[in-house]
């Protein structure tokens, strides 16, 4: 295995403890290769972004084509064909009330944009509403605003003094859904600006799933109190939960939607925040001070937009839904084989995502569990990255049955080793 020699400070990495870092040279489908010909199965889609597989020929071709025409363009006061096509297509495939597309470049920035849209809306319509409601255990990104609306803990402890106050609604655990809905109802009565939520499944919070009817109720409560409903579909979007968007399963139409990760099929960084017309209209004026003051240098980068357009063409022309259904079905079969393993608790699945909690009697061992498992899987040719004691498999939709079986074999072996 070739490893990293350069002075890079890696994300979410304790360089004082963790192992040497593999140097990857090439990716194809669900596999990653190093220069020596070793390969790993990417069982978490390179952190939830790769949907159709690495280096999908159609996305790579779109990137090559666009790179010969226009690489980058200021997006304030100027526009280009890939962004125009993408925005029109996004509006076409999402529910009618969503009418406007704002570009940015990561999930975190799409969330910052959503929060600023909500606050800008209330300011411009002349109402003093600025409180944001969130769901317990949520994750919305690592910038200061996104951390503020996410779960507080070891990951953001040093930055706590900079984080703003939010109202936290308890997670709707099985049997306690009504308590959660009642808490939201009470909080909405205080006239907050918005409620932001990951629809149907909280990803980084531990792959916590809640039912579609709860999401529909949440949405109805927000509507009743005129609280803007923000769906963070950064992880759930593009088929992960079994449908193109998780909100589709609950028949829910948000006021604001954040999309990133699979937007380009996972090939290039790009994000969008879609909103309903009244939010845009509140910023539309002959008064310049009412404009939406947000931009980043690479907003709507043409090459990234071209990759996203290729993703949408793949959704249009290839049997993507069929691949998702097949993967979901196979994941369910593998998960059920492990459901009686004494080391497994709460086996659960939503669409292509399968997760379980590992039962470890000694909690001191727990703190060390995830890094040890990561190393074990890496040595067995699989890229997995547990969240604490929560193990999940979230592969690209093109993974072969054989590769997926190897992933689950590795998991079974690792659980046996724990005994
Ligand atoms: C990953 C993620 C984000 C942040 O996206 P980045 O591109 O990493 O900034 C935001 N929300 C959710 C639900 C995510 O899973």
């Amino acid at each position: 295995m070739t490893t990293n020699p350069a002075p890079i400070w890696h994300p979410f990495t304790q360089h004082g403890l963790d192992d040497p870092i593999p140097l990857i040279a090439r990716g194809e489908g669900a596999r990653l290769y190093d220069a020596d010909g070793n390969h790993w199965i990417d069982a978490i889609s390179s952190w939830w972004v790769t949907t159709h597989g690495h280096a999908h020929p159609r996305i790579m071709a779109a990137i090559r084509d666009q790179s010969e025409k226009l690489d980058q363009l200021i997006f304030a006061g100027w526009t280009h064909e890939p962004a125009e096509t993408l925005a029109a297509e996004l509006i076409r495939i999402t529910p009618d009330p969503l009418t406007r597309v704002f570009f940015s470049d990561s999930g975190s920035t799409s969330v910052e944009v959503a929060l600023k849209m909500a606050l800008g809306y209330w300011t411009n319509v002349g109402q003093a509403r600025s409180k944001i409601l969130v769901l317990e255990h949520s994750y919305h990104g690592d910038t200061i605003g996104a951390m503020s609306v996410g779960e507080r803990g070891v990951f953001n402890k040093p930055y706590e003094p900079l984080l703003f106050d939010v109202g936290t609604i308890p997670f709707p655990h099985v049997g306690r859904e009504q308590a959660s809905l009642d808490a939201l109802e009470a909080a909405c009565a205080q006239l907050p600006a918005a409620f932001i939520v990951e629809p149907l499944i909280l990803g980084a919070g531990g792959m916590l799933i809640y039912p579609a009817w709860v999401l529909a109720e949440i949405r109805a409560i927000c509507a009743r109190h005129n609280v803007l409903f923000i769906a963070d579909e950064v992880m759930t979007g593009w088929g992960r939960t079994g449908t193109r968007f998780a909100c589709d399963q609950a028949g829910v139409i948000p006021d604001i939607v954040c999309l990133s990760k699979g937007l380009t099929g996972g090939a290039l960084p790009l994000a969008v925040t879609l909103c309903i017309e009244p939010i845009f209209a509140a910023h539309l004026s002959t008064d310049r001070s009412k404009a939406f003051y947000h931009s980043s240098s690479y907003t709507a980068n043409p090459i990234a937009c071209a990759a996203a357009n290729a993703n949408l063409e793949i959704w249009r022309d290839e049997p993507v839904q069929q691949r998702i259904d097949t993967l979901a079905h196979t994941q369910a079969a593998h998960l059920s084989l492990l459901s009686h393993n004494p080391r497994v608790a709460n086996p659960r699945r939503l669409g292509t995502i399968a997760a379980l909690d590992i039962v470890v009697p000694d909690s001191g061992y727990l703190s060390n569990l995830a890094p040890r498992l990561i190393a074990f899987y890496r040595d067995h040719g699989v890229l997995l990255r547990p969240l604490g004691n929560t193990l999940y498999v979230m592969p690209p939709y093109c993974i072969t049955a054989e590769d997926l079986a190897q992933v689950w074999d590795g998991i079974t072996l690792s659980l046996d080793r724990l005994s």
Side-chain angles (χ1 to χ4, degrees), residues 47-49 105-111 138-143 146 196-199 201-205 207 231-236 258 260-261 269-271 394:
W47 248 353
W48 319 348
V49 300
D105 24 44
S106 71
S108 302
T109 52
S110 75
V111 167
S138 292
Y139 176 80
H140 296 289
D142 282 339
T143 51
I196 181 165
V197 71
E198 298 164 81
I201 180 166
L202 276 52
M207 300 297 158
D232 177 353
E233 292 244 22
V234 169
M235 187 275 269
T236 52
C258 305
S260 186
K261 292 196 169 128
L270 185 70
M394 195 197 288

Side-chain angles (χ1 to χ4, degrees), residues 43-44 331 352-355 384 391-395 399 404 407-408 411:
I44 61 162
Q331 288 272 72
T352 68
I353 308 165
L384 277 169
L391 184 59
Y392 67 92
V393 180
M394 195 197 288
I399 190 169
L404 190 59
V407 171
W408 285 96
I411 290 172

Side-chain angles (χ1 to χ4, degrees), residues 28-33 39-43 327 330-331 334 380-383 393 395-396 398-410:
E28 190 183 338
R31 291 184 176 196
L32 300 166
Y33 298 84
H39 80 264
W40 290 266
I41 302 165
D42 187 353
L327 175 56
T330 318
Q331 288 272 72
H334 285 295
H380 283 79
V382 175
L383 194 177
V393 180
C398 65
I399 190 169
T400 61
E402 293 73 26
D403 278 0
L404 190 59
Q406 189 186 325
V407 171
W408 285 96
D409 286 348

Side-chain angles (χ1 to χ4, degrees), residues 86-94 101 238 259 263 272 274 312:
L86 178 57
E89 196 60 14
L90 287 170
I91 292 306
R92 195 185 66 76
I93 65 167
T94 51
V101 179
W238 309 106
L259 298 173
L263 173 59
V272 288
L274 275 62
L312 284 163

Side-chain angles (χ1 to χ4, degrees), residues 18-38:
D18 292 348
D19 294 339
I21 295 178
L23 186 65
I24 295 301
R26 192 169 69 79
E28 190 183 338
R31 291 184 176 196
L32 300 166
Y33 298 84
D34 74 4
D36 300 335
N38 301 304

